[in-house]
């Protein structure tokens, strides 16, 4: 990223163009964070028997997991400079969190509606 400065003290940053591979990496991180959210929400819904327990656990525990996953991908060299930490948080944590919750609560059947074989049922 290049910074252009004027004599009056004003500055603005010009963003470098992202390659197709950078965009692919970004989409890969978003998809994996969405899948992690959907799987964790399903786990909470299966294991917790209260009605508000899965919601509270999802809101409290999943965003820190997504932040850690995003940091790990950054350490592995994935992604590129998006220009702002707010954009990174919105795109790599908030959007996958919202989409993962939506997938599990509105698209997947409720855990009580799934038929299991007799040996896997809880009494």
């Amino acid at each position: 990223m290049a910074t252009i400065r004027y004599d009056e003290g004003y500055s603005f940053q010009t963003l470098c163009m992202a390659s197709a591979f950078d965009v692919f990496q970004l989409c890969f991180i978003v998809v994996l964070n969405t899948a992690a959210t959907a799987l964790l929400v399903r786990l909470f819904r299966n294991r917790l028997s209260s009605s508000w327990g899965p919601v509270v656990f999802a809101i409290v525990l999943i965003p820190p997991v997504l932040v850690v996953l995003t940091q790990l991908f950054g350490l592995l060299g994935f992604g590129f400079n998006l220009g702002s930490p707010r954009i990174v948080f919105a795109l790599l944590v908030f959007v996958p969190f919202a989409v993962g919750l939506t997938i599990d609560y509105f698209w997947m059947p409720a855990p009580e509606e799934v038929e299991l074989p007799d040996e896997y049922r809880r009494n």
Side-chain angles (χ1 to χ4, degrees), residues 3 6 9 15 17 31 50-51 54-55 58 63 69 74 81 83 88 102:
T3 302
Y6 292 105
L15 297 176
M17 182 180 273
V31 167
S50 67
S51 61
V55 175
L69 282 174
N81 188 2
V88 171
T102 303

Side-chain angles (χ1 to χ4, degrees), residues 36-116:
T37 299
L39 290 172
L40 286 171
V41 170
R42 178 53 57 159
L43 175 74
F44 295 149
R45 287 180 73 188
N46 281 333
R47 296 293 176 201
L48 300 173
S49 59
S50 67
S51 61
W52 281 99
V55 175
V56 172
F57 271 80
I59 290 172
V60 171
L61 294 179
I62 293 176
V65 170
L66 295 180
V67 169
V68 168
L69 282 174
T70 302
Q71 292 293 323
L72 288 175
F73 284 125
L75 288 175
L76 294 175
F78 280 82
F80 59 99
N81 188 2
L82 293 173
S84 168
R86 292 178 183 156
I87 293 173
V88 171
F89 182 78
L91 190 61
L92 298 179
V93 175
F94 181 72
V95 170
F97 179 70
V99 172
L101 281 175
T102 303
I103 287 171
D104 193 65
Y105 275 102
F106 296 113
W107 187 62
M108 300 294 294
E112 300 84 31
E113 297 174 0
V114 177
E115 286 291 324
L116 294 175

